[in-house]
Short mmCIF file of all heavy atoms in Angstrom, two decimals:
data_model
loop_
_atom_site.label_atom_id
_atom_site.label_comp_id
_atom_site.label_asym_id
_atom_site.label_seq_id
_atom_site.Cartn_x
_atom_site.Cartn_y
_atom_site.Cartn_z
N VAL V 32 9.41 7.96 2.13
CA VAL V 32 8.27 6.95 2.11
C VAL V 32 7.06 7.44 1.34
O VAL V 32 6.08 6.71 1.17
CB VAL V 32 7.82 6.62 3.56
CG1 VAL V 32 8.95 6.06 4.39
CG2 VAL V 32 7.17 7.83 4.27
N LEU V 33 7.14 8.67 0.82
CA LEU V 33 5.94 9.25 0.19
C LEU V 33 5.70 8.71 -1.21
O LEU V 33 6.51 8.86 -2.10
CB LEU V 33 6.10 10.77 0.06
CG LEU V 33 5.48 11.69 1.08
CD1 LEU V 33 5.40 13.09 0.50
CD2 LEU V 33 4.11 11.18 1.47
N GLY V 34 4.51 8.11 -1.39
CA GLY V 34 4.13 7.62 -2.72
C GLY V 34 3.48 8.66 -3.57
O GLY V 34 3.54 8.60 -4.82
N GLY V 35 2.83 9.64 -2.95
CA GLY V 35 2.10 10.67 -3.73
C GLY V 35 1.43 11.66 -2.79
O GLY V 35 1.62 11.59 -1.57
N VAL V 36 0.64 12.58 -3.35
CA VAL V 36 -0.02 13.58 -2.56
C VAL V 36 -1.43 13.79 -3.15
O VAL V 36 -1.63 13.69 -4.35
CB VAL V 36 0.76 14.93 -2.64
CG1 VAL V 36 -0.01 16.07 -1.93
CG2 VAL V 36 2.15 14.79 -2.03
N THR V 37 -2.39 14.03 -2.24
CA THR V 37 -3.74 14.41 -2.69
C THR V 37 -4.02 15.82 -2.15
O THR V 37 -3.59 16.17 -1.05
CB THR V 37 -4.82 13.44 -2.20
OG1 THR V 37 -4.68 13.31 -0.79
CG2 THR V 37 -4.69 12.09 -2.87
N THR V 38 -4.77 16.60 -2.94
CA THR V 38 -5.22 17.89 -2.51
C THR V 38 -6.74 17.95 -2.76
O THR V 38 -7.25 17.08 -3.46
CB THR V 38 -4.52 19.03 -3.25
OG1 THR V 38 -4.89 18.98 -4.65
CG2 THR V 38 -3.03 18.96 -3.13
N ASN V 39 -7.36 18.95 -2.24
CA ASN V 39 -8.77 19.18 -2.56
C ASN V 39 -9.04 20.70 -2.44
O ASN V 39 -8.16 21.42 -1.91
CB ASN V 39 -9.72 18.32 -1.73
CG ASN V 39 -9.66 18.67 -0.24
OD1 ASN V 39 -9.59 19.84 0.14
ND2 ASN V 39 -9.75 17.66 0.63
N PRO V 40 -10.16 21.21 -2.86
CA PRO V 40 -10.39 22.64 -2.85
C PRO V 40 -10.33 23.21 -1.42
O PRO V 40 -9.85 24.37 -1.23
CB PRO V 40 -11.83 22.79 -3.47
CG PRO V 40 -11.90 21.62 -4.37
CD PRO V 40 -11.22 20.51 -3.66
N SER V 41 -10.77 22.47 -0.40
CA SER V 41 -10.69 22.98 0.96
C SER V 41 -9.23 23.13 1.39
O SER V 41 -8.84 24.12 2.04
CB SER V 41 -11.44 22.05 1.93
OG SER V 41 -12.77 21.92 1.56
N LEU V 42 -8.41 22.15 1.06
CA LEU V 42 -6.96 22.19 1.42
C LEU V 42 -6.28 23.35 0.68
O LEU V 42 -5.44 24.04 1.24
CB LEU V 42 -6.30 20.86 1.10
CG LEU V 42 -6.76 19.68 1.94
CD1 LEU V 42 -6.21 18.34 1.41
CD2 LEU V 42 -6.35 19.85 3.42
N MET V 43 -6.70 23.57 -0.59
CA MET V 43 -6.13 24.70 -1.37
C MET V 43 -6.52 26.03 -0.70
O MET V 43 -5.68 26.93 -0.57
CB MET V 43 -6.69 24.68 -2.79
CG MET V 43 -6.00 23.62 -3.65
SD MET V 43 -4.23 24.04 -3.86
CE MET V 43 -3.74 22.63 -4.88
N ALA V 44 -7.78 26.11 -0.25
CA ALA V 44 -8.24 27.35 0.40
C ALA V 44 -7.45 27.62 1.65
O ALA V 44 -7.07 28.74 1.96
CB ALA V 44 -9.73 27.23 0.70
N LYS V 45 -7.16 26.52 2.39
CA LYS V 45 -6.37 26.64 3.61
C LYS V 45 -4.96 27.12 3.32
O LYS V 45 -4.37 27.90 4.05
CB LYS V 45 -6.34 25.27 4.31
CG LYS V 45 -5.97 25.29 5.78
CD LYS V 45 -6.21 23.94 6.38
CE LYS V 45 -5.33 23.72 7.55
NZ LYS V 45 -5.23 22.31 7.94
N ALA V 46 -4.40 26.63 2.21
CA ALA V 46 -3.03 27.03 1.83
C ALA V 46 -3.00 28.52 1.46
O ALA V 46 -1.96 29.19 1.66
CB ALA V 46 -2.51 26.16 0.69
N GLY V 47 -4.11 29.01 0.89
CA GLY V 47 -4.24 30.44 0.61
C GLY V 47 -3.32 30.96 -0.48
O GLY V 47 -2.93 32.11 -0.45
N ARG V 48 -2.94 30.09 -1.42
CA ARG V 48 -2.02 30.51 -2.50
C ARG V 48 -2.62 30.07 -3.84
O ARG V 48 -3.59 29.33 -3.86
CB ARG V 48 -0.65 29.84 -2.32
CG ARG V 48 0.02 30.17 -0.99
CD ARG V 48 1.28 29.34 -0.84
NE ARG V 48 2.06 29.40 -2.06
CZ ARG V 48 2.87 28.40 -2.46
NH1 ARG V 48 2.96 27.29 -1.80
NH2 ARG V 48 3.55 28.56 -3.59
N SER V 49 -2.00 30.49 -4.91
CA SER V 49 -2.50 30.09 -6.23
C SER V 49 -2.44 28.55 -6.38
O SER V 49 -1.35 27.95 -6.25
CB SER V 49 -1.63 30.73 -7.32
OG SER V 49 -1.52 29.86 -8.44
N PRO V 50 -3.58 27.88 -6.59
CA PRO V 50 -3.57 26.42 -6.71
C PRO V 50 -2.62 25.91 -7.77
O PRO V 50 -1.97 24.92 -7.60
CB PRO V 50 -5.03 26.10 -7.06
CG PRO V 50 -5.83 27.26 -6.56
CD PRO V 50 -4.94 28.44 -6.67
N ARG V 51 -2.53 26.66 -8.87
CA ARG V 51 -1.62 26.23 -9.97
C ARG V 51 -0.17 26.19 -9.51
O ARG V 51 0.57 25.22 -9.74
CB ARG V 51 -1.77 27.26 -11.11
CG ARG V 51 -1.89 26.62 -12.44
CD ARG V 51 -1.70 27.63 -13.55
NE ARG V 51 -0.73 27.13 -14.52
CZ ARG V 51 -0.99 26.14 -15.33
NH1 ARG V 51 -2.16 25.58 -15.35
NH2 ARG V 51 -0.03 25.69 -16.16
N GLU V 52 0.21 27.26 -8.74
CA GLU V 52 1.58 27.32 -8.22
C GLU V 52 1.81 26.21 -7.23
O GLU V 52 2.88 25.56 -7.23
CB GLU V 52 1.77 28.64 -7.48
CG GLU V 52 2.44 29.74 -8.29
CD GLU V 52 2.51 31.03 -7.45
OE1 GLU V 52 2.80 30.97 -6.22
OE2 GLU V 52 2.20 32.04 -8.07
N VAL V 53 0.83 25.99 -6.35
CA VAL V 53 0.98 24.95 -5.35
C VAL V 53 1.16 23.57 -5.99
O VAL V 53 2.06 22.81 -5.64
CB VAL V 53 -0.24 24.92 -4.38
CG1 VAL V 53 -0.23 23.70 -3.47
CG2 VAL V 53 -0.32 26.20 -3.57
N ILE V 54 0.32 23.27 -6.99
CA ILE V 54 0.44 21.97 -7.67
C ILE V 54 1.81 21.84 -8.35
O ILE V 54 2.48 20.81 -8.29
CB ILE V 54 -0.72 21.79 -8.70
CG1 ILE V 54 -2.08 21.64 -7.92
CG2 ILE V 54 -0.49 20.56 -9.57
CD1 ILE V 54 -2.19 20.48 -7.00
N ALA V 55 2.24 22.90 -9.02
CA ALA V 55 3.55 22.87 -9.67
C ALA V 55 4.65 22.59 -8.68
O ALA V 55 5.54 21.74 -8.92
CB ALA V 55 3.80 24.19 -10.42
N GLU V 56 4.62 23.22 -7.52
CA GLU V 56 5.64 22.99 -6.48
C GLU V 56 5.60 21.55 -5.98
O GLU V 56 6.63 20.92 -5.78
CB GLU V 56 5.47 24.01 -5.32
CG GLU V 56 5.93 25.40 -5.70
CD GLU V 56 5.67 26.38 -4.57
OE1 GLU V 56 5.65 26.00 -3.39
OE2 GLU V 56 5.48 27.59 -4.90
N ILE V 57 4.39 21.06 -5.72
CA ILE V 57 4.29 19.70 -5.19
C ILE V 57 4.77 18.67 -6.21
O ILE V 57 5.49 17.74 -5.85
CB ILE V 57 2.81 19.38 -4.76
CG1 ILE V 57 2.30 20.31 -3.68
CG2 ILE V 57 2.73 17.91 -4.25
CD1 ILE V 57 0.85 20.17 -3.34
N THR V 58 4.42 18.86 -7.47
CA THR V 58 4.84 17.89 -8.50
C THR V 58 6.35 17.88 -8.64
O THR V 58 6.94 16.84 -9.01
CB THR V 58 4.21 18.18 -9.87
OG1 THR V 58 4.47 19.53 -10.24
CG2 THR V 58 2.70 17.94 -9.84
N ALA V 59 7.00 19.01 -8.35
CA ALA V 59 8.45 19.06 -8.44
C ALA V 59 9.09 18.39 -7.25
O ALA V 59 10.21 17.85 -7.29
CB ALA V 59 8.93 20.50 -8.53
N LEU V 60 8.39 18.39 -6.09
CA LEU V 60 8.91 17.79 -4.85
C LEU V 60 8.76 16.29 -4.80
O LEU V 60 9.56 15.57 -4.26
CB LEU V 60 8.18 18.38 -3.66
CG LEU V 60 8.66 19.64 -2.97
CD1 LEU V 60 7.70 20.04 -1.87
CD2 LEU V 60 10.06 19.39 -2.38
N VAL V 61 7.60 15.82 -5.26
CA VAL V 61 7.24 14.41 -5.12
C VAL V 61 7.00 13.81 -6.53
O VAL V 61 6.14 14.29 -7.24
CB VAL V 61 5.95 14.24 -4.28
CG1 VAL V 61 5.54 12.76 -4.13
CG2 VAL V 61 6.11 14.91 -2.91
N PRO V 62 7.78 12.78 -6.89
CA PRO V 62 7.64 12.24 -8.22
C PRO V 62 6.39 11.41 -8.45
O PRO V 62 5.96 11.18 -9.59
CB PRO V 62 8.88 11.34 -8.39
CG PRO V 62 9.40 11.11 -7.01
CD PRO V 62 8.90 12.20 -6.13
N GLY V 63 5.73 10.96 -7.37
CA GLY V 63 4.54 10.11 -7.51
C GLY V 63 3.31 10.90 -7.92
O GLY V 63 3.38 12.11 -8.13
N PRO V 64 2.17 10.22 -8.04
CA PRO V 64 0.93 10.86 -8.45
C PRO V 64 0.46 11.97 -7.49
O PRO V 64 0.43 11.79 -6.28
CB PRO V 64 -0.12 9.72 -8.46
CG PRO V 64 0.71 8.49 -8.51
CD PRO V 64 1.98 8.79 -7.79
N ILE V 65 0.12 13.15 -8.07
CA ILE V 65 -0.34 14.30 -7.28
C ILE V 65 -1.77 14.62 -7.74
O ILE V 65 -1.97 15.07 -8.89
CB ILE V 65 0.56 15.53 -7.55
CG1 ILE V 65 2.05 15.18 -7.37
CG2 ILE V 65 0.15 16.69 -6.64
CD1 ILE V 65 2.46 14.63 -6.04
N SER V 66 -2.74 14.42 -6.86
CA SER V 66 -4.13 14.67 -7.26
C SER V 66 -4.47 16.16 -7.11
O SER V 66 -4.26 16.75 -6.05
CB SER V 66 -5.08 13.87 -6.38
OG SER V 66 -5.05 12.52 -6.75
N ALA V 67 -5.03 16.73 -8.17
CA ALA V 67 -5.44 18.15 -8.20
C ALA V 67 -6.89 18.17 -8.67
O ALA V 67 -7.21 17.59 -9.73
CB ALA V 67 -4.57 18.92 -9.14
N GLU V 68 -7.75 18.82 -7.84
CA GLU V 68 -9.20 18.70 -8.09
C GLU V 68 -9.77 19.82 -8.93
O GLU V 68 -9.38 21.00 -8.77
CB GLU V 68 -9.91 18.61 -6.72
CG GLU V 68 -11.37 18.26 -6.83
CD GLU V 68 -11.92 17.69 -5.51
OE1 GLU V 68 -11.11 17.25 -4.66
OE2 GLU V 68 -13.15 17.65 -5.38
N VAL V 69 -10.73 19.49 -9.79
CA VAL V 69 -11.45 20.50 -10.56
C VAL V 69 -12.47 21.17 -9.70
O VAL V 69 -12.91 20.63 -8.68
CB VAL V 69 -12.11 19.88 -11.82
CG1 VAL V 69 -11.13 19.19 -12.71
CG2 VAL V 69 -13.22 18.89 -11.39
N ILE V 70 -12.87 22.38 -10.12
CA ILE V 70 -13.90 23.15 -9.37
C ILE V 70 -15.23 23.15 -10.12
O ILE V 70 -16.27 23.28 -9.52
CB ILE V 70 -13.42 24.63 -9.22
CG1 ILE V 70 -12.03 24.68 -8.57
CG2 ILE V 70 -14.42 25.46 -8.42
CD1 ILE V 70 -12.01 24.09 -7.19
N SER V 71 -15.16 22.99 -11.46
CA SER V 71 -16.39 23.00 -12.27
C SER V 71 -17.32 21.86 -11.82
O SER V 71 -16.84 20.85 -11.33
CB SER V 71 -16.09 22.80 -13.73
OG SER V 71 -15.11 23.67 -14.16
N THR V 72 -18.60 22.05 -12.08
CA THR V 72 -19.56 20.97 -11.76
C THR V 72 -20.26 20.49 -13.02
O THR V 72 -21.19 19.73 -12.95
CB THR V 72 -20.61 21.45 -10.73
OG1 THR V 72 -21.18 22.67 -11.18
CG2 THR V 72 -19.95 21.67 -9.36
N GLU V 73 -19.85 21.02 -14.19
CA GLU V 73 -20.43 20.44 -15.41
C GLU V 73 -19.26 19.85 -16.25
O GLU V 73 -18.12 20.26 -16.11
CB GLU V 73 -21.31 21.45 -16.17
CG GLU V 73 -20.84 22.90 -16.14
CD GLU V 73 -19.73 23.18 -17.10
OE1 GLU V 73 -19.71 22.56 -18.17
OE2 GLU V 73 -18.85 23.99 -16.76
N THR V 74 -19.67 18.89 -17.13
CA THR V 74 -18.64 18.08 -17.80
C THR V 74 -17.63 18.89 -18.60
O THR V 74 -16.42 18.66 -18.43
CB THR V 74 -19.35 17.03 -18.71
OG1 THR V 74 -20.30 16.33 -17.94
CG2 THR V 74 -18.37 16.06 -19.32
N ALA V 75 -18.11 19.80 -19.46
CA ALA V 75 -17.16 20.52 -20.31
C ALA V 75 -16.15 21.30 -19.49
O ALA V 75 -14.94 21.30 -19.82
CB ALA V 75 -17.94 21.45 -21.25
N GLY V 76 -16.64 21.94 -18.44
CA GLY V 76 -15.73 22.70 -17.56
C GLY V 76 -14.74 21.78 -16.88
O GLY V 76 -13.55 22.13 -16.77
N MET V 77 -15.18 20.63 -16.40
CA MET V 77 -14.27 19.69 -15.75
C MET V 77 -13.18 19.20 -16.72
O MET V 77 -12.04 19.07 -16.34
CB MET V 77 -15.02 18.47 -15.23
CG MET V 77 -15.91 18.75 -14.03
SD MET V 77 -16.54 17.16 -13.43
CE MET V 77 -17.88 17.71 -12.45
N ILE V 78 -13.64 18.95 -17.95
CA ILE V 78 -12.65 18.47 -18.94
C ILE V 78 -11.60 19.55 -19.22
O ILE V 78 -10.39 19.26 -19.23
CB ILE V 78 -13.35 18.00 -20.24
CG1 ILE V 78 -14.25 16.81 -19.95
CG2 ILE V 78 -12.35 17.66 -21.34
CD1 ILE V 78 -15.19 16.40 -21.11
N ALA V 79 -12.09 20.77 -19.43
CA ALA V 79 -11.12 21.86 -19.71
C ALA V 79 -10.16 22.08 -18.54
O ALA V 79 -8.94 22.16 -18.71
CB ALA V 79 -11.91 23.16 -20.01
N GLU V 80 -10.73 22.12 -17.32
CA GLU V 80 -9.89 22.29 -16.13
C GLU V 80 -8.92 21.10 -15.98
O GLU V 80 -7.75 21.26 -15.62
CB GLU V 80 -10.75 22.29 -14.87
CG GLU V 80 -11.09 23.66 -14.40
CD GLU V 80 -11.76 23.55 -13.01
OE1 GLU V 80 -11.09 23.29 -12.02
OE2 GLU V 80 -13.01 23.68 -12.99
N GLY V 81 -9.45 19.93 -16.21
CA GLY V 81 -8.66 18.71 -16.04
C GLY V 81 -7.45 18.70 -17.01
O GLY V 81 -6.32 18.39 -16.64
N ARG V 82 -7.72 19.12 -18.24
CA ARG V 82 -6.63 19.18 -19.22
C ARG V 82 -5.57 20.20 -18.81
O ARG V 82 -4.36 19.99 -18.95
CB ARG V 82 -7.19 19.50 -20.61
CG ARG V 82 -7.94 18.31 -21.22
CD ARG V 82 -8.71 18.76 -22.48
NE ARG V 82 -7.79 19.24 -23.48
CZ ARG V 82 -7.26 18.48 -24.45
NH1 ARG V 82 -7.58 17.21 -24.51
NH2 ARG V 82 -6.45 19.01 -25.35
N ALA V 83 -6.04 21.34 -18.29
CA ALA V 83 -5.10 22.39 -17.86
C ALA V 83 -4.29 21.91 -16.66
O ALA V 83 -3.07 22.13 -16.59
CB ALA V 83 -5.86 23.66 -17.50
N LEU V 84 -4.92 21.21 -15.73
CA LEU V 84 -4.18 20.69 -14.55
C LEU V 84 -3.19 19.65 -15.00
O LEU V 84 -2.01 19.65 -14.57
CB LEU V 84 -5.17 20.07 -13.54
CG LEU V 84 -6.06 21.07 -12.78
CD1 LEU V 84 -7.16 20.32 -12.03
CD2 LEU V 84 -5.22 21.88 -11.79
N ALA V 85 -3.58 18.76 -15.91
CA ALA V 85 -2.70 17.68 -16.35
C ALA V 85 -1.50 18.25 -17.09
O ALA V 85 -0.43 17.63 -17.11
CB ALA V 85 -3.45 16.69 -17.22
N ALA V 86 -1.65 19.45 -17.67
CA ALA V 86 -0.56 20.07 -18.42
C ALA V 86 0.53 20.64 -17.48
O ALA V 86 1.64 20.94 -17.92
CB ALA V 86 -1.09 21.17 -19.33
N ILE V 87 0.21 20.77 -16.21
CA ILE V 87 1.20 21.34 -15.25
C ILE V 87 2.40 20.40 -15.12
O ILE V 87 3.54 20.87 -15.12
CB ILE V 87 0.56 21.58 -13.85
CG1 ILE V 87 -0.57 22.66 -13.97
CG2 ILE V 87 1.60 22.04 -12.82
CD1 ILE V 87 -1.33 22.87 -12.65
N ALA V 88 2.17 19.13 -15.02
CA ALA V 88 3.27 18.16 -14.88
C ALA V 88 2.76 16.77 -15.21
O ALA V 88 1.56 16.52 -15.10
CB ALA V 88 3.85 18.22 -13.47
N GLU V 89 3.68 15.91 -15.57
CA GLU V 89 3.29 14.54 -15.97
C GLU V 89 2.67 13.72 -14.88
O GLU V 89 1.89 12.82 -15.12
CB GLU V 89 4.54 13.78 -16.50
CG GLU V 89 4.79 14.01 -17.94
CD GLU V 89 5.90 13.10 -18.48
OE1 GLU V 89 6.40 12.28 -17.70
OE2 GLU V 89 6.24 13.27 -19.66
N ASN V 90 3.02 14.06 -13.62
CA ASN V 90 2.49 13.24 -12.51
C ASN V 90 1.20 13.79 -11.89
O ASN V 90 0.82 13.34 -10.83
CB ASN V 90 3.58 13.04 -11.42
CG ASN V 90 4.19 14.32 -10.90
OD1 ASN V 90 4.19 15.33 -11.57
ND2 ASN V 90 4.72 14.28 -9.69
N VAL V 91 0.55 14.74 -12.57
CA VAL V 91 -0.74 15.21 -12.07
C VAL V 91 -1.84 14.17 -12.38
O VAL V 91 -1.91 13.63 -13.48
CB VAL V 91 -1.14 16.58 -12.70
CG1 VAL V 91 -2.59 16.92 -12.43
CG2 VAL V 91 -0.23 17.70 -12.17
N VAL V 92 -2.64 13.91 -11.33
CA VAL V 92 -3.85 13.09 -11.51
C VAL V 92 -5.02 14.04 -11.31
O VAL V 92 -5.05 14.77 -10.29
CB VAL V 92 -3.90 11.93 -10.49
CG1 VAL V 92 -5.20 11.18 -10.57
CG2 VAL V 92 -2.69 10.98 -10.69
N VAL V 93 -5.94 14.06 -12.21
CA VAL V 93 -7.08 14.99 -12.11
C VAL V 93 -8.19 14.36 -11.25
O VAL V 93 -8.58 13.21 -11.43
CB VAL V 93 -7.64 15.29 -13.53
CG1 VAL V 93 -8.89 16.20 -13.43
CG2 VAL V 93 -6.56 15.99 -14.37
N LYS V 94 -8.63 15.18 -10.29
CA LYS V 94 -9.62 14.67 -9.34
C LYS V 94 -11.01 15.24 -9.72
O LYS V 94 -11.14 16.47 -9.85
CB LYS V 94 -9.24 15.18 -7.94
CG LYS V 94 -9.44 14.20 -6.83
CD LYS V 94 -8.78 14.80 -5.59
CE LYS V 94 -9.20 14.13 -4.35
NZ LYS V 94 -8.76 14.84 -3.14
N VAL V 95 -11.96 14.38 -9.89
CA VAL V 95 -13.32 14.85 -10.23
C VAL V 95 -14.32 14.25 -9.21
O VAL V 95 -14.12 13.11 -8.72
CB VAL V 95 -13.75 14.45 -11.63
CG1 VAL V 95 -12.78 15.00 -12.67
CG2 VAL V 95 -13.89 12.96 -11.80
N PRO V 96 -15.37 14.98 -8.88
CA PRO V 96 -16.35 14.46 -7.90
C PRO V 96 -17.25 13.37 -8.51
O PRO V 96 -17.50 13.37 -9.71
CB PRO V 96 -17.16 15.69 -7.52
CG PRO V 96 -17.05 16.60 -8.70
CD PRO V 96 -15.71 16.35 -9.32
N LEU V 97 -17.72 12.50 -7.61
CA LEU V 97 -18.53 11.37 -8.05
C LEU V 97 -20.02 11.80 -8.27
O LEU V 97 -20.89 11.50 -7.48
CB LEU V 97 -18.45 10.22 -7.07
CG LEU V 97 -18.43 8.86 -7.75
CD1 LEU V 97 -17.87 7.79 -6.86
CD2 LEU V 97 -19.72 8.45 -8.37
N ILE V 98 -20.18 12.58 -9.37
CA ILE V 98 -21.52 13.01 -9.81
C ILE V 98 -21.59 12.66 -11.32
O ILE V 98 -20.56 12.39 -11.91
CB ILE V 98 -21.73 14.52 -9.56
CG1 ILE V 98 -20.68 15.34 -10.30
CG2 ILE V 98 -21.72 14.83 -8.08
CD1 ILE V 98 -20.90 16.87 -10.18
N PRO V 99 -22.77 12.66 -11.89
CA PRO V 99 -22.88 12.28 -13.32
C PRO V 99 -21.89 13.05 -14.22
O PRO V 99 -21.18 12.45 -15.04
CB PRO V 99 -24.30 12.55 -13.68
CG PRO V 99 -25.05 12.27 -12.37
CD PRO V 99 -24.13 12.81 -11.31
#
Side-chain angles (χ1 to χ4, degrees):
V32 301
L33 262 198
V36 175
T37 53
T38 64
N39 65 38
S41 301
L42 293 170
M43 282 296 178
K45 198 169 154 198
R48 303 173 47 211
S49 145
R51 226 193 129 72
E52 261 177 42
V53 171
I54 293 298
E56 286 176 27
I57 300 173
T58 54
L60 270 177
V61 180
I65 310 302
S66 288
E68 190 158 342
V69 301
I70 304 301
S71 309
T72 53
E73 36 78 35
T74 306
M77 288 187 197
I78 295 171
E80 263 189 75
R82 287 169 61 92
L84 289 168
I87 297 175
E89 272 188 5
N90 54 336
V91 167
V92 174
V93 175
K94 221 170 163 189
V95 302
L97 218 160
I98 57 176

